[in-house]
Amino acid sequence: AAADDWFHSAVVYQVYPRSFADSNGDGVGDLRGVIGKLDYLGHLGVDVVWLSPVYRSPHDDNGYDISDYRDIDPAFGTLEDLDELIAGLHARGMKLVMDLVVNHTSDEHPWFAESRASKDSPKRDWYWWRPARPGFEPGTPGAEPTNWESFFSGSTWKYDETTGEYYLHLFSTKQPDLNWENPEVREAVYSMMNWWLDRGVDGFRMDVINLISKDTALPDGAVAEGRVFGNGRPHFTCGPRIHEFLQEMHREVFAAREGAFLTVGEMPGVTVEEAVAFTDPARAEVDMVFQFEHMHLDHGGTKWQPAKLRLTELKASLGRWQAGLAERGWNSLYWNNHDQPRVVSRFGDESPEYRGLSATMLAGVLHLHRGTPYVYQGEELGMTNMPFAGIDDYRDIEVLNHYREATVAFGEDPAVVLASIAPLNRDNARTPVQWDAGPNAGFTSGTPWIGVNPNYTEINAAEQLARDDSVFAFYRRLIQLRHELPVIAHGDFTMLLPDDESVYAFTRSHEGTELLVLGNFTGREVQADVDPAWADAERIIANYPDARGLQLRPWEFTALVRS
Ligand code: TEU
């Protein structure tokens, strides 16, 4: 088997297929579109492609609501297309990681149809069914079995007339939660995972996998000042059997296999301490996790009350994760994915003057941390948030449910709600990848399912592939460096300047080689207050053509090495 830490020097690229490349002109990206871009991905130099869901789905949550785990949705293509994608990636020395969404299925999955049909159905216990709260009329407000709140607004329980009971859905009403307490459910999931690995898939990104174990007493969330504490999430996050389930999954799916696989658990709310247990190789659970701490630093009360990021808080958070997983376990490193706004707009400066500099500064700081970096489609081009004109331009169920709840249920001013949605909504990341300056940015010959960012004429792959000072060229160089320099893949990490609100600074060291990484998170010129001897060190990558010692110009990034 390959070294079990092969992913320490790997970089993963996330494809959100719906918005990546459309090969048949229906306005929705598809597998043949991805196949058409394999040379582009090979040129970028990534090692693994994580493909967001392409399984059969009603697309209530853009494919994170699966109705058949063993078939490809016609919108994306066929199983043969997927086989061709696997072969194309493997031929270029790249791996394919599929998205595993098994905390819930679609309500149109045959399993759920059977479960909801009757209280005596053999699959009744494959999902969470409960009667109305005692003393309440079924189907009336307050009768929900717990007071938990969905990630997509409203209760996590939906009343089902057929059997007069409620079913649990932490996400949309069309995403009923599977009951992982039931060994038949677990067996069906492991069997499906083995079916994909036998087909040549190299691993899984596991969607909200830390939510599969719930407190089976289904207690109410604590209520303080009329709010349900944490929306009830403490009762279904990292529940009592989560480590047991992941160790069983590893035993049933990976333990007997030869080869280099990758498992990454997406874990909303996971703490550093829990992540050490999840990613300690000795425990054989997952290789790494996606944690969310640094993604909530600019949330006010909620993501709909955006606040300004403080660099010292970002450094404290990422530094805590670097220190916590230094000896055991492993970090994933990300700014972007299909659920997060574009980092250039969020933490950088999307103006034409500073867009490229802030994008490369953010990339350099992230990629030179200890961990496995994830590049989200379009991030390598410095793509920015989308200026959506009105609610009808949005597609994301999280946005649409929130907007309806805020304006209808709570009577808030639509213009105010729209403004509060703009900075952090998920559709910011879901506009089509901008391939060239042609119609629809080269994404489709048809009508795109969601608007194309109007700045595609300035920001697109074709324009950047022609330049060696582009954001794309910078990402390509960062990826090369991770492949070439052991200090990046394996070195330890020391945070510097924890109280500096402008400069992100840290060192890496490994077998006598030391690396200093400096990033100016502002549009002003600042001095990096580090050991002056570094001014004479060799620059290995920077986003300004010349060096000014330890003086950092707006959004300047530089990495210096000395032995
Ligand atoms: O995301 C889980 C999750 O926690 C996100 O919904 C996140 O909390 C939120 O979007 C940030 O405001 C995973 C998938 O990545 C997401 O696309 C799905 O909608 C969700 O699970 C349900 O499958």
Side-chain angles (χ1 to χ4, degrees), residues 14-20 62 335-343 345 376-379 383-386 388 394 396 422-434 449-451 453:
Q14 181 192 357
V15 169
Y16 190 69
R18 169 176 287 276
S19 308
F20 188 69
N62 290 357
W335 295 136
N336 290 289
N337 58 44
H338 63 291
D339 294 332
Q340 300 297 336
R342 294 279 181 181
V343 73
S345 304
Y376 175 64
Q377 65 181 41
E379 174 187 345
M383 280 179 63
T384 63
N385 281 357
M386 173 72 167
F388 292 108
Y394 285 97
D396 178 12
L424 297 175
N425 72 79
R426 306 193 302 181
D427 277 334
N428 278 314
R430 301 177 179 187
T431 62
V433 172
Q434 294 161 199
W449 70 280
I450 188 171
N453 194 313

Side-chain angles (χ1 to χ4, degrees), residues 61 64 101 104 151-152 171 175 205 207-208 266 268 292 303 338-340 398 426 430:
D61 184 19
Y64 281 90
V101 187
H104 47 270
F151 284 84
F152 295 159
F171 291 91
Q175 293 172 292
R205 174 267 188 185
D207 189 66
V208 295
E266 186 212 25
F292 284 71
K303 71 184 285 183
H338 63 291
D339 294 332
Q340 300 297 336
E398 183 188 39
R426 306 193 302 181
R430 301 177 179 187

Side-chain angles (χ1 to χ4, degrees), residues 344-396:
V344 180
S345 304
R346 186 180 194 178
F347 295 160
D349 180 333
E350 64 177 27
S351 71
E353 182 184 9
Y354 289 133
R355 183 165 60 214
L357 283 169
S358 61
T360 49
M361 185 281 293
L362 288 159
V365 165
L366 185 75
H367 277 245
L368 298 190
H369 274 73
R370 178 181 168 85
T372 297
Y374 286 71
V375 179
Y376 175 64
Q377 65 181 41
E379 174 187 345
E380 78 278 10
L381 302 175
M383 280 179 63
T384 63
N385 281 357
M386 173 72 167
F388 292 108
I391 194 61
D392 295 340
D393 296 324
Y394 285 97
R395 298 290 177 274
D396 178 12

